[in-house]
Amino acid sequence: DIQMTQSPSSLSASVGDRVTITCRASQSISSYLNWYQQKPGKAPKLLIYAASSLQSGVPSRFSGSGSGTDFTLTISSLQPEDFATYYCQQSYSTPRITFGQGTRLEIK
Amino acid sequence: QVQLQESGPGLVKPSETLSLTCTVSGYSISSGYYWGWIRQPPGKGLEWIGSIYHSGSTYYNPSLKSRVTISVDTSKNQFSLKLSSVTAADTAVYYCAREPDTCSGGSCYNWFDPWGQGTLVTVSS
């Protein structure tokens, strides 16, 4: 299976900060990479698909980049509602879809 | 607006079969896309279980394949999950989700959106 490793596992930041979360695949997955946001007690919400395409309705402060094995999710200016856990997910090796372990973004 | 809602027992005994149904509104399953199940043990990360197309074609996580059956009922606009021989390790919030895709340059990308609200299933005697 393709392993997805996110870094950091947790992160403290302040409102207005620029934040970057990294996701690394154990082998090349081209651009088959999605990002989700999950708040406590809620279902995950799609932010980015195909590595860099912003899902409709998602604020433009979220962006994704990367290809191959290394990917990043960037939040250009943190807002209070952005404090949550973020997951990457690869869909390259269907039927072996896998998620990263998550990055918890906390308020400093 | 597409909405999904999971339903089923919240408590299942060890060695028995977990059964959940996902009811879709605002979109006809027969119109296309795959439809998937994902689970999340308390305090842990996400694990994809399997997905089904409206025609009934399925694909499953190899680590769960021997115990999983996903089926679809287009007349009710529902799809269902059965997980047999459950243990405490199967205790989790179970989510259903639509699996849209887009194809470009010979590559087809898919993702999960939207998701149901999730339902907690506890395996305990």
mmCIF file with all atom_site columns, all heavy atoms in Angstrom, chain A residues 32 34 36 38 42-43 46 55 87 91 94-95, chain B residues 40 48 59 62 95 107-108 110-113 115-116:
data_model
loop_
_atom_site.group_PDB
_atom_site.id
_atom_site.type_symbol
_atom_site.label_atom_id
_atom_site.label_alt_id
_atom_site.label_comp_id
_atom_site.label_asym_id
_atom_site.label_entity_id
_atom_site.label_seq_id
_atom_site.pdbx_PDB_ins_code
_atom_site.Cartn_x
_atom_site.Cartn_y
_atom_site.Cartn_z
_atom_site.occupancy
_atom_site.B_iso_or_equiv
_atom_site.pdbx_formal_charge
_atom_site.auth_seq_id
_atom_site.auth_comp_id
_atom_site.auth_asym_id
_atom_site.auth_atom_id
_atom_site.pdbx_PDB_model_num
ATOM 1   N N   . TYR A 1 32  ? -2.779  12.635 -7.847  1.00 0.00 ? 32  TYR A N   1
ATOM 2   C CA  . TYR A 1 32  ? -3.944  11.976 -7.265  1.00 0.00 ? 32  TYR A CA  1
ATOM 3   C C   . TYR A 1 32  ? -3.999  12.214 -5.754  1.00 0.00 ? 32  TYR A C   1
ATOM 4   O O   . TYR A 1 32  ? -3.956  11.271 -4.946  1.00 0.00 ? 32  TYR A O   1
ATOM 5   C CB  . TYR A 1 32  ? -3.927  10.489 -7.567  1.00 0.00 ? 32  TYR A CB  1
ATOM 6   C CG  . TYR A 1 32  ? -4.159  10.155 -9.021  1.00 0.00 ? 32  TYR A CG  1
ATOM 7   C CD1 . TYR A 1 32  ? -3.113  10.226 -9.945  1.00 0.00 ? 32  TYR A CD1 1
ATOM 8   C CD2 . TYR A 1 32  ? -5.412  9.767  -9.468  1.00 0.00 ? 32  TYR A CD2 1
ATOM 9   C CE1 . TYR A 1 32  ? -3.325  9.927  -11.279 1.00 0.00 ? 32  TYR A CE1 1
ATOM 10  C CE2 . TYR A 1 32  ? -5.629  9.458  -10.803 1.00 0.00 ? 32  TYR A CE2 1
ATOM 11  C CZ  . TYR A 1 32  ? -4.583  9.539  -11.698 1.00 0.00 ? 32  TYR A CZ  1
ATOM 12  O OH  . TYR A 1 32  ? -4.796  9.233  -13.027 1.00 0.00 ? 32  TYR A OH  1
ATOM 13  N N   . ASN A 1 34  ? -5.846  14.525 -2.528  1.00 0.00 ? 34  ASN A N   1
ATOM 14  C CA  . ASN A 1 34  ? -6.934  15.377 -2.053  1.00 0.00 ? 34  ASN A CA  1
ATOM 15  C C   . ASN A 1 34  ? -6.663  15.808 -0.615  1.00 0.00 ? 34  ASN A C   1
ATOM 16  O O   . ASN A 1 34  ? -5.980  15.110 0.132   1.00 0.00 ? 34  ASN A O   1
ATOM 17  C CB  . ASN A 1 34  ? -8.260  14.620 -2.108  1.00 0.00 ? 34  ASN A CB  1
ATOM 18  C CG  . ASN A 1 34  ? -8.525  14.011 -3.473  1.00 0.00 ? 34  ASN A CG  1
ATOM 19  O OD1 . ASN A 1 34  ? -8.368  14.674 -4.500  1.00 0.00 ? 34  ASN A OD1 1
ATOM 20  N ND2 . ASN A 1 34  ? -8.919  12.742 -3.496  1.00 0.00 ? 34  ASN A ND2 1
ATOM 21  N N   . TYR A 1 36  ? -8.624  17.344 3.006   1.00 0.00 ? 36  TYR A N   1
ATOM 22  C CA  . TYR A 1 36  ? -9.878  17.501 3.737   1.00 0.00 ? 36  TYR A CA  1
ATOM 23  C C   . TYR A 1 36  ? -9.622  18.241 5.051   1.00 0.00 ? 36  TYR A C   1
ATOM 24  O O   . TYR A 1 36  ? -8.542  18.144 5.631   1.00 0.00 ? 36  TYR A O   1
ATOM 25  C CB  . TYR A 1 36  ? -10.505 16.147 4.063   1.00 0.00 ? 36  TYR A CB  1
ATOM 26  C CG  . TYR A 1 36  ? -10.793 15.295 2.853   1.00 0.00 ? 36  TYR A CG  1
ATOM 27  C CD1 . TYR A 1 36  ? -9.814  14.460 2.325   1.00 0.00 ? 36  TYR A CD1 1
ATOM 28  C CD2 . TYR A 1 36  ? -12.038 15.316 2.232   1.00 0.00 ? 36  TYR A CD2 1
ATOM 29  C CE1 . TYR A 1 36  ? -10.068 13.681 1.207   1.00 0.00 ? 36  TYR A CE1 1
ATOM 30  C CE2 . TYR A 1 36  ? -12.302 14.539 1.121   1.00 0.00 ? 36  TYR A CE2 1
ATOM 31  C CZ  . TYR A 1 36  ? -11.307 13.726 0.609   1.00 0.00 ? 36  TYR A CZ  1
ATOM 32  O OH  . TYR A 1 36  ? -11.566 12.957 -0.494  1.00 0.00 ? 36  TYR A OH  1
ATOM 33  N N   . GLN A 1 38  ? -11.350 18.598 8.925   1.00 0.00 ? 38  GLN A N   1
ATOM 34  C CA  . GLN A 1 38  ? -12.318 17.994 9.839   1.00 0.00 ? 38  GLN A CA  1
ATOM 35  C C   . GLN A 1 38  ? -12.329 18.742 11.163  1.00 0.00 ? 38  GLN A C   1
ATOM 36  O O   . GLN A 1 38  ? -11.292 18.887 11.808  1.00 0.00 ? 38  GLN A O   1
ATOM 37  C CB  . GLN A 1 38  ? -12.029 16.515 10.076  1.00 0.00 ? 38  GLN A CB  1
ATOM 38  C CG  . GLN A 1 38  ? -13.109 15.834 10.919  1.00 0.00 ? 38  GLN A CG  1
ATOM 39  C CD  . GLN A 1 38  ? -12.862 14.360 11.144  1.00 0.00 ? 38  GLN A CD  1
ATOM 40  O OE1 . GLN A 1 38  ? -11.719 13.917 11.275  1.00 0.00 ? 38  GLN A OE1 1
ATOM 41  N NE2 . GLN A 1 38  ? -13.932 13.569 11.182  1.00 0.00 ? 38  GLN A NE2 1
ATOM 42  N N   . LYS A 1 42  ? -17.504 16.461 13.566  1.00 0.00 ? 42  LYS A N   1
ATOM 43  C CA  . LYS A 1 42  ? -18.071 16.687 12.241  1.00 0.00 ? 42  LYS A CA  1
ATOM 44  C C   . LYS A 1 42  ? -17.412 15.779 11.201  1.00 0.00 ? 42  LYS A C   1
ATOM 45  O O   . LYS A 1 42  ? -16.325 15.242 11.419  1.00 0.00 ? 42  LYS A O   1
ATOM 46  C CB  . LYS A 1 42  ? -17.880 18.144 11.809  1.00 0.00 ? 42  LYS A CB  1
ATOM 47  C CG  . LYS A 1 42  ? -18.545 19.157 12.731  1.00 0.00 ? 42  LYS A CG  1
ATOM 48  C CD  . LYS A 1 42  ? -20.056 19.025 12.712  1.00 0.00 ? 42  LYS A CD  1
ATOM 49  C CE  . LYS A 1 42  ? -20.711 20.127 13.516  1.00 0.00 ? 42  LYS A CE  1
ATOM 50  N NZ  . LYS A 1 42  ? -22.199 19.983 13.530  1.00 0.00 ? 42  LYS A NZ  1
ATOM 51  N N   . ALA A 1 43  ? -18.087 15.634 10.072  1.00 0.00 ? 43  ALA A N   1
ATOM 52  C CA  . ALA A 1 43  ? -17.520 14.868 8.972   1.00 0.00 ? 43  ALA A CA  1
ATOM 53  C C   . ALA A 1 43  ? -16.433 15.675 8.268   1.00 0.00 ? 43  ALA A C   1
ATOM 54  O O   . ALA A 1 43  ? -16.451 16.914 8.293   1.00 0.00 ? 43  ALA A O   1
ATOM 55  C CB  . ALA A 1 43  ? -18.612 14.517 7.967   1.00 0.00 ? 43  ALA A CB  1
ATOM 56  N N   . LEU A 1 46  ? -14.223 18.374 1.957   1.00 0.00 ? 46  LEU A N   1
ATOM 57  C CA  . LEU A 1 46  ? -13.231 18.466 0.881   1.00 0.00 ? 46  LEU A CA  1
ATOM 58  C C   . LEU A 1 46  ? -12.792 19.912 0.685   1.00 0.00 ? 46  LEU A C   1
ATOM 59  O O   . LEU A 1 46  ? -13.614 20.823 0.565   1.00 0.00 ? 46  LEU A O   1
ATOM 60  C CB  . LEU A 1 46  ? -13.832 17.938 -0.419  1.00 0.00 ? 46  LEU A CB  1
ATOM 61  C CG  . LEU A 1 46  ? -12.942 18.028 -1.660  1.00 0.00 ? 46  LEU A CG  1
ATOM 62  C CD1 . LEU A 1 46  ? -11.790 17.022 -1.567  1.00 0.00 ? 46  LEU A CD1 1
ATOM 63  C CD2 . LEU A 1 46  ? -13.756 17.803 -2.924  1.00 0.00 ? 46  LEU A CD2 1
ATOM 64  N N   . GLN A 1 55  ? -11.998 23.201 -4.279  1.00 0.00 ? 55  GLN A N   1
ATOM 65  C CA  . GLN A 1 55  ? -13.403 22.798 -4.323  1.00 0.00 ? 55  GLN A CA  1
ATOM 66  C C   . GLN A 1 55  ? -14.291 24.043 -4.281  1.00 0.00 ? 55  GLN A C   1
ATOM 67  O O   . GLN A 1 55  ? -13.985 25.017 -3.577  1.00 0.00 ? 55  GLN A O   1
ATOM 68  C CB  . GLN A 1 55  ? -13.714 21.871 -3.143  1.00 0.00 ? 55  GLN A CB  1
ATOM 69  C CG  . GLN A 1 55  ? -15.182 21.554 -2.928  1.00 0.00 ? 55  GLN A CG  1
ATOM 70  C CD  . GLN A 1 55  ? -15.801 20.715 -4.035  1.00 0.00 ? 55  GLN A CD  1
ATOM 71  O OE1 . GLN A 1 55  ? -15.225 20.535 -5.105  1.00 0.00 ? 55  GLN A OE1 1
ATOM 72  N NE2 . GLN A 1 55  ? -16.988 20.205 -3.787  1.00 0.00 ? 55  GLN A NE2 1
ATOM 73  N N   . TYR A 1 87  ? -6.459  16.344 6.656   1.00 0.00 ? 87  TYR A N   1
ATOM 74  C CA  . TYR A 1 87  ? -6.030  15.035 6.153   1.00 0.00 ? 87  TYR A CA  1
ATOM 75  C C   . TYR A 1 87  ? -5.749  15.106 4.656   1.00 0.00 ? 87  TYR A C   1
ATOM 76  O O   . TYR A 1 87  ? -6.512  15.741 3.903   1.00 0.00 ? 87  TYR A O   1
ATOM 77  C CB  . TYR A 1 87  ? -7.128  13.982 6.350   1.00 0.00 ? 87  TYR A CB  1
ATOM 78  C CG  . TYR A 1 87  ? -7.402  13.613 7.781   1.00 0.00 ? 87  TYR A CG  1
ATOM 79  C CD1 . TYR A 1 87  ? -8.411  14.247 8.507   1.00 0.00 ? 87  TYR A CD1 1
ATOM 80  C CD2 . TYR A 1 87  ? -6.673  12.606 8.408   1.00 0.00 ? 87  TYR A CD2 1
ATOM 81  C CE1 . TYR A 1 87  ? -8.671  13.901 9.823   1.00 0.00 ? 87  TYR A CE1 1
ATOM 82  C CE2 . TYR A 1 87  ? -6.924  12.252 9.727   1.00 0.00 ? 87  TYR A CE2 1
ATOM 83  C CZ  . TYR A 1 87  ? -7.926  12.909 10.423  1.00 0.00 ? 87  TYR A CZ  1
ATOM 84  O OH  . TYR A 1 87  ? -8.189  12.561 11.728  1.00 0.00 ? 87  TYR A OH  1
ATOM 85  N N   . SER A 1 91  ? -5.627  8.812  -4.217  1.00 0.00 ? 91  SER A N   1
ATOM 86  C CA  . SER A 1 91  ? -6.546  7.960  -4.981  1.00 0.00 ? 91  SER A CA  1
ATOM 87  C C   . SER A 1 91  ? -5.831  7.361  -6.188  1.00 0.00 ? 91  SER A C   1
ATOM 88  O O   . SER A 1 91  ? -6.468  6.953  -7.156  1.00 0.00 ? 91  SER A O   1
ATOM 89  C CB  . SER A 1 91  ? -7.774  8.759  -5.425  1.00 0.00 ? 91  SER A CB  1
ATOM 90  O OG  . SER A 1 91  ? -7.377  9.846  -6.244  1.00 0.00 ? 91  SER A OG  1
ATOM 91  N N   . THR A 1 94  ? -6.144  3.024  -6.469  1.00 0.00 ? 94  THR A N   1
ATOM 92  C CA  . THR A 1 94  ? -7.437  2.375  -6.273  1.00 0.00 ? 94  THR A CA  1
ATOM 93  C C   . THR A 1 94  ? -7.287  0.900  -6.651  1.00 0.00 ? 94  THR A C   1
ATOM 94  O O   . THR A 1 94  ? -6.750  0.610  -7.712  1.00 0.00 ? 94  THR A O   1
ATOM 95  C CB  . THR A 1 94  ? -8.497  3.057  -7.156  1.00 0.00 ? 94  THR A CB  1
ATOM 96  O OG1 . THR A 1 94  ? -8.525  4.445  -6.835  1.00 0.00 ? 94  THR A OG1 1
ATOM 97  C CG2 . THR A 1 94  ? -9.848  2.440  -6.950  1.00 0.00 ? 94  THR A CG2 1
ATOM 98  N N   . PRO A 1 95  ? -7.726  -0.087 -5.886  1.00 0.00 ? 95  PRO A N   1
ATOM 99  C CA  . PRO A 1 95  ? -8.576  0.048  -4.699  1.00 0.00 ? 95  PRO A CA  1
ATOM 100 C C   . PRO A 1 95  ? -7.815  0.135  -3.385  1.00 0.00 ? 95  PRO A C   1
ATOM 101 O O   . PRO A 1 95  ? -8.222  -0.455 -2.393  1.00 0.00 ? 95  PRO A O   1
ATOM 102 C CB  . PRO A 1 95  ? -9.387  -1.238 -4.752  1.00 0.00 ? 95  PRO A CB  1
ATOM 103 C CG  . PRO A 1 95  ? -8.397  -2.262 -5.268  1.00 0.00 ? 95  PRO A CG  1
ATOM 104 C CD  . PRO A 1 95  ? -7.555  -1.510 -6.247  1.00 0.00 ? 95  PRO A CD  1
ATOM 105 N N   . GLN B 2 40  ? -13.742 5.897  11.013  1.00 0.00 ? 40  GLN B N   1
ATOM 106 C CA  . GLN B 2 40  ? -12.778 6.609  11.851  1.00 0.00 ? 40  GLN B CA  1
ATOM 107 C C   . GLN B 2 40  ? -12.916 6.136  13.297  1.00 0.00 ? 40  GLN B C   1
ATOM 108 O O   . GLN B 2 40  ? -13.866 6.522  13.991  1.00 0.00 ? 40  GLN B O   1
ATOM 109 C CB  . GLN B 2 40  ? -13.018 8.120  11.752  1.00 0.00 ? 40  GLN B CB  1
ATOM 110 C CG  . GLN B 2 40  ? -11.991 8.958  12.493  1.00 0.00 ? 40  GLN B CG  1
ATOM 111 C CD  . GLN B 2 40  ? -12.164 10.438 12.206  1.00 0.00 ? 40  GLN B CD  1
ATOM 112 O OE1 . GLN B 2 40  ? -13.284 10.939 12.077  1.00 0.00 ? 40  GLN B OE1 1
ATOM 113 N NE2 . GLN B 2 40  ? -11.056 11.152 12.091  1.00 0.00 ? 40  GLN B NE2 1
ATOM 114 N N   . TRP B 2 48  ? -10.516 4.123  4.531   1.00 0.00 ? 48  TRP B N   1
ATOM 115 C CA  . TRP B 2 48  ? -11.477 3.816  3.476   1.00 0.00 ? 48  TRP B CA  1
ATOM 116 C C   . TRP B 2 48  ? -11.825 2.332  3.539   1.00 0.00 ? 48  TRP B C   1
ATOM 117 O O   . TRP B 2 48  ? -10.959 1.480  3.666   1.00 0.00 ? 48  TRP B O   1
ATOM 118 C CB  . TRP B 2 48  ? -10.879 4.165  2.122   1.00 0.00 ? 48  TRP B CB  1
ATOM 119 C CG  . TRP B 2 48  ? -11.672 3.682  0.957   1.00 0.00 ? 48  TRP B CG  1
ATOM 120 C CD1 . TRP B 2 48  ? -12.872 4.172  0.502   1.00 0.00 ? 48  TRP B CD1 1
ATOM 121 C CD2 . TRP B 2 48  ? -11.323 2.618  0.074   1.00 0.00 ? 48  TRP B CD2 1
ATOM 122 N NE1 . TRP B 2 48  ? -13.295 3.467  -0.597  1.00 0.00 ? 48  TRP B NE1 1
ATOM 123 C CE2 . TRP B 2 48  ? -12.363 2.504  -0.889  1.00 0.00 ? 48  TRP B CE2 1
ATOM 124 C CE3 . TRP B 2 48  ? -10.248 1.734  0.002   1.00 0.00 ? 48  TRP B CE3 1
ATOM 125 C CZ2 . TRP B 2 48  ? -12.337 1.553  -1.904  1.00 0.00 ? 48  TRP B CZ2 1
ATOM 126 C CZ3 . TRP B 2 48  ? -10.217 0.791  -1.011  1.00 0.00 ? 48  TRP B CZ3 1
ATOM 127 C CH2 . TRP B 2 48  ? -11.255 0.707  -1.946  1.00 0.00 ? 48  TRP B CH2 1
ATOM 128 N N   . TYR B 2 59  ? -15.407 -2.035 -5.246  1.00 0.00 ? 59  TYR B N   1
ATOM 129 C CA  . TYR B 2 59  ? -14.018 -2.281 -4.919  1.00 0.00 ? 59  TYR B CA  1
ATOM 130 C C   . TYR B 2 59  ? -13.829 -2.013 -3.434  1.00 0.00 ? 59  TYR B C   1
ATOM 131 O O   . TYR B 2 59  ? -14.450 -1.116 -2.871  1.00 0.00 ? 59  TYR B O   1
ATOM 132 C CB  . TYR B 2 59  ? -13.040 -1.508 -5.801  1.00 0.00 ? 59  TYR B CB  1
ATOM 133 C CG  . TYR B 2 59  ? -13.089 -0.007 -5.779  1.00 0.00 ? 59  TYR B CG  1
ATOM 134 C CD1 . TYR B 2 59  ? -12.063 0.723  -5.172  1.00 0.00 ? 59  TYR B CD1 1
ATOM 135 C CD2 . TYR B 2 59  ? -14.097 0.702  -6.414  1.00 0.00 ? 59  TYR B CD2 1
ATOM 136 C CE1 . TYR B 2 59  ? -12.064 2.093  -5.176  1.00 0.00 ? 59  TYR B CE1 1
ATOM 137 C CE2 . TYR B 2 59  ? -14.103 2.086  -6.419  1.00 0.00 ? 59  TYR B CE2 1
ATOM 138 C CZ  . TYR B 2 59  ? -13.083 2.776  -5.798  1.00 0.00 ? 59  TYR B CZ  1
ATOM 139 O OH  . TYR B 2 59  ? -13.087 4.157  -5.804  1.00 0.00 ? 59  TYR B OH  1
ATOM 140 N N   . PRO B 2 62  ? -8.352  -3.948 0.548   1.00 0.00 ? 62  PRO B N   1
ATOM 141 C CA  . PRO B 2 62  ? -7.892  -5.339 0.665   1.00 0.00 ? 62  PRO B CA  1
ATOM 142 C C   . PRO B 2 62  ? -7.807  -5.832 2.108   1.00 0.00 ? 62  PRO B C   1
ATOM 143 O O   . PRO B 2 62  ? -8.013  -7.028 2.361   1.00 0.00 ? 62  PRO B O   1
ATOM 144 C CB  . PRO B 2 62  ? -6.506  -5.302 0.011   1.00 0.00 ? 62  PRO B CB  1
ATOM 145 C CG  . PRO B 2 62  ? -6.594  -4.178 -0.966  1.00 0.00 ? 62  PRO B CG  1
ATOM 146 C CD  . PRO B 2 62  ? -7.455  -3.144 -0.284  1.00 0.00 ? 62  PRO B CD  1
ATOM 147 N N   . TYR B 2 95  ? -18.777 6.712  8.024   1.00 0.00 ? 95  TYR B N   1
ATOM 148 C CA  . TYR B 2 95  ? -19.266 7.743  7.125   1.00 0.00 ? 95  TYR B CA  1
ATOM 149 C C   . TYR B 2 95  ? -19.566 7.145  5.754   1.00 0.00 ? 95  TYR B C   1
ATOM 150 O O   . TYR B 2 95  ? -18.833 6.266  5.287   1.00 0.00 ? 95  TYR B O   1
ATOM 151 C CB  . TYR B 2 95  ? -18.216 8.832  6.914   1.00 0.00 ? 95  TYR B CB  1
ATOM 152 C CG  . TYR B 2 95  ? -17.819 9.631  8.124   1.00 0.00 ? 95  TYR B CG  1
ATOM 153 C CD1 . TYR B 2 95  ? -16.647 9.352  8.831   1.00 0.00 ? 95  TYR B CD1 1
ATOM 154 C CD2 . TYR B 2 95  ? -18.596 10.703 8.557   1.00 0.00 ? 95  TYR B CD2 1
ATOM 155 C CE1 . TYR B 2 95  ? -16.260 10.115 9.923   1.00 0.00 ? 95  TYR B CE1 1
ATOM 156 C CE2 . TYR B 2 95  ? -18.222 11.467 9.655   1.00 0.00 ? 95  TYR B CE2 1
ATOM 157 C CZ  . TYR B 2 95  ? -17.058 11.166 10.334  1.00 0.00 ? 95  TYR B CZ  1
ATOM 158 O OH  . TYR B 2 95  ? -16.679 11.932 11.413  1.00 0.00 ? 95  TYR B OH  1
ATOM 159 N N   . SER B 2 107 ? -6.192  10.890 -17.483 1.00 0.00 ? 107 SER B N   1
ATOM 160 C CA  . SER B 2 107 ? -6.180  10.552 -16.063 1.00 0.00 ? 107 SER B CA  1
ATOM 161 C C   . SER B 2 107 ? -7.512  10.936 -15.433 1.00 0.00 ? 107 SER B C   1
ATOM 162 O O   . SER B 2 107 ? -8.060  11.991 -15.739 1.00 0.00 ? 107 SER B O   1
ATOM 163 C CB  . SER B 2 107 ? -5.055  11.302 -15.339 1.00 0.00 ? 107 SER B CB  1
ATOM 164 O OG  . SER B 2 107 ? -3.796  10.920 -15.844 1.00 0.00 ? 107 SER B OG  1
ATOM 165 N N   . CYS B 2 108 ? -8.016  10.075 -14.589 1.00 0.00 ? 108 CYS B N   1
ATOM 166 C CA  . CYS B 2 108 ? -9.271  10.353 -13.894 1.00 0.00 ? 108 CYS B CA  1
ATOM 167 C C   . CYS B 2 108 ? -9.006  10.477 -12.398 1.00 0.00 ? 108 CYS B C   1
ATOM 168 O O   . CYS B 2 108 ? -8.467  9.557  -11.786 1.00 0.00 ? 108 CYS B O   1
ATOM 169 C CB  . CYS B 2 108 ? -10.302 9.265  -14.169 1.00 0.00 ? 108 CYS B CB  1
ATOM 170 S SG  . CYS B 2 108 ? -10.887 9.268  -15.881 1.00 0.00 ? 108 CYS B SG  1
ATOM 171 N N   . ASN B 2 110 ? -10.460 11.165 -8.517  1.00 0.00 ? 110 ASN B N   1
ATOM 172 C CA  . ASN B 2 110 ? -11.677 11.051 -7.733  1.00 0.00 ? 110 ASN B CA  1
ATOM 173 C C   . ASN B 2 110 ? -11.413 11.452 -6.290  1.00 0.00 ? 110 ASN B C   1
ATOM 174 O O   . ASN B 2 110 ? -10.262 11.452 -5.836  1.00 0.00 ? 110 ASN B O   1
ATOM 175 C CB  . ASN B 2 110 ? -12.252 9.638  -7.821  1.00 0.00 ? 110 ASN B CB  1
ATOM 176 C CG  . ASN B 2 110 ? -11.264 8.568  -7.400  1.00 0.00 ? 110 ASN B CG  1
ATOM 177 O OD1 . ASN B 2 110 ? -10.206 8.420  -8.004  1.00 0.00 ? 110 ASN B OD1 1
ATOM 178 N ND2 . ASN B 2 110 ? -11.593 7.849  -6.345  1.00 0.00 ? 110 ASN B ND2 1
ATOM 179 N N   . TRP B 2 111 ? -12.467 11.790 -5.610  1.00 0.00 ? 111 TRP B N   1
ATOM 180 C CA  . TRP B 2 111 ? -12.377 12.277 -4.228  1.00 0.00 ? 111 TRP B CA  1
ATOM 181 C C   . TRP B 2 111 ? -13.696 11.997 -3.537  1.00 0.00 ? 111 TRP B C   1
ATOM 182 O O   . TRP B 2 111 ? -14.630 11.480 -4.146  1.00 0.00 ? 111 TRP B O   1
ATOM 183 C CB  . TRP B 2 111 ? -12.055 13.781 -4.228  1.00 0.00 ? 111 TRP B CB  1
ATOM 184 C CG  . TRP B 2 111 ? -13.034 14.590 -5.023  1.00 0.00 ? 111 TRP B CG  1
ATOM 185 C CD1 . TRP B 2 111 ? -14.203 15.164 -4.596  1.00 0.00 ? 111 TRP B CD1 1
ATOM 186 C CD2 . TRP B 2 111 ? -12.954 14.900 -6.420  1.00 0.00 ? 111 TRP B CD2 1
ATOM 187 N NE1 . TRP B 2 111 ? -14.839 15.803 -5.624  1.00 0.00 ? 111 TRP B NE1 1
ATOM 188 C CE2 . TRP B 2 111 ? -14.101 15.664 -6.762  1.00 0.00 ? 111 TRP B CE2 1
ATOM 189 C CE3 . TRP B 2 111 ? -12.026 14.608 -7.420  1.00 0.00 ? 111 TRP B CE3 1
ATOM 190 C CZ2 . TRP B 2 111 ? -14.333 16.132 -8.049  1.00 0.00 ? 111 TRP B CZ2 1
ATOM 191 C CZ3 . TRP B 2 111 ? -12.243 15.077 -8.698  1.00 0.00 ? 111 TRP B CZ3 1
ATOM 192 C CH2 . TRP B 2 111 ? -13.385 15.831 -9.012  1.00 0.00 ? 111 TRP B CH2 1
ATOM 193 N N   . PHE B 2 112 ? -13.806 12.302 -2.254  1.00 0.00 ? 112 PHE B N   1
ATOM 194 C CA  . PHE B 2 112 ? -15.026 12.074 -1.491  1.00 0.00 ? 112 PHE B CA  1
ATOM 195 C C   . PHE B 2 112 ? -15.680 13.409 -1.139  1.00 0.00 ? 112 PHE B C   1
ATOM 196 O O   . PHE B 2 112 ? -15.111 14.229 -0.440  1.00 0.00 ? 112 PHE B O   1
ATOM 197 C CB  . PHE B 2 112 ? -14.718 11.305 -0.201  1.00 0.00 ? 112 PHE B CB  1
ATOM 198 C CG  . PHE B 2 112 ? -14.181 9.922  -0.436  1.00 0.00 ? 112 PHE B CG  1
ATOM 199 C CD1 . PHE B 2 112 ? -12.846 9.638  -0.215  1.00 0.00 ? 112 PHE B CD1 1
ATOM 200 C CD2 . PHE B 2 112 ? -15.017 8.904  -0.880  1.00 0.00 ? 112 PHE B CD2 1
ATOM 201 C CE1 . PHE B 2 112 ? -12.341 8.357  -0.445  1.00 0.00 ? 112 PHE B CE1 1
ATOM 202 C CE2 . PHE B 2 112 ? -14.524 7.621  -1.111  1.00 0.00 ? 112 PHE B CE2 1
ATOM 203 C CZ  . PHE B 2 112 ? -13.188 7.359  -0.890  1.00 0.00 ? 112 PHE B CZ  1
ATOM 204 N N   . ASP B 2 113 ? -16.887 13.612 -1.675  1.00 0.00 ? 113 ASP B N   1
ATOM 205 C CA  . ASP B 2 113 ? -17.634 14.831 -1.398  1.00 0.00 ? 113 ASP B CA  1
ATOM 206 C C   . ASP B 2 113 ? -19.037 14.756 -1.991  1.00 0.00 ? 113 ASP B C   1
ATOM 207 O O   . ASP B 2 113 ? -19.185 14.409 -3.155  1.00 0.00 ? 113 ASP B O   1
ATOM 208 C CB  . ASP B 2 113 ? -16.932 16.040 -2.023  1.00 0.00 ? 113 ASP B CB  1
ATOM 209 C CG  . ASP B 2 113 ? -17.684 17.333 -1.785  1.00 0.00 ? 113 ASP B CG  1
ATOM 210 O OD1 . ASP B 2 113 ? -17.660 17.821 -0.631  1.00 0.00 ? 113 ASP B OD1 1
ATOM 211 O OD2 . ASP B 2 113 ? -18.309 17.840 -2.737  1.00 0.00 ? 113 ASP B OD2 1
ATOM 212 N N   . TRP B 2 115 ? -19.954 14.240 2.376   1.00 0.00 ? 115 TRP B N   1
ATOM 213 C CA  . TRP B 2 115 ? -19.979 13.152 3.342   1.00 0.00 ? 115 TRP B CA  1
ATOM 214 C C   . TRP B 2 115 ? -21.273 13.220 4.143   1.00 0.00 ? 115 TRP B C   1
ATOM 215 O O   . TRP B 2 115 ? -21.853 14.298 4.319   1.00 0.00 ? 115 TRP B O   1
ATOM 216 C CB  . TRP B 2 115 ? -18.810 13.279 4.316   1.00 0.00 ? 115 TRP B CB  1
ATOM 217 C CG  . TRP B 2 115 ? -17.450 13.192 3.712   1.00 0.00 ? 115 TRP B CG  1
ATOM 218 C CD1 . TRP B 2 115 ? -16.949 13.932 2.678   1.00 0.00 ? 115 TRP B CD1 1
ATOM 219 C CD2 . TRP B 2 115 ? -16.384 12.348 4.130   1.00 0.00 ? 115 TRP B CD2 1
ATOM 220 N NE1 . TRP B 2 115 ? -15.646 13.586 2.422   1.00 0.00 ? 115 TRP B NE1 1
ATOM 221 C CE2 . TRP B 2 115 ? -15.257 12.620 3.305   1.00 0.00 ? 115 TRP B CE2 1
ATOM 222 C CE3 . TRP B 2 115 ? -16.228 11.387 5.135   1.00 0.00 ? 115 TRP B CE3 1
ATOM 223 C CZ2 . TRP B 2 115 ? -14.037 11.960 3.450   1.00 0.00 ? 115 TRP B CZ2 1
ATOM 224 C CZ3 . TRP B 2 115 ? -15.011 10.736 5.273   1.00 0.00 ? 115 TRP B CZ3 1
ATOM 225 C CH2 . TRP B 2 115 ? -13.929 11.018 4.436   1.00 0.00 ? 115 TRP B CH2 1
ATOM 226 N N   . GLY B 2 116 ? -21.707 12.061 4.642   1.00 0.00 ? 116 GLY B N   1
ATOM 227 C CA  . GLY B 2 116 ? -22.772 12.066 5.621   1.00 0.00 ? 116 GLY B CA  1
ATOM 228 C C   . GLY B 2 116 ? -22.241 12.553 6.956   1.00 0.00 ? 116 GLY B C   1
ATOM 229 O O   . GLY B 2 116 ? -21.025 12.750 7.117   1.00 0.00 ? 116 GLY B O   1
#
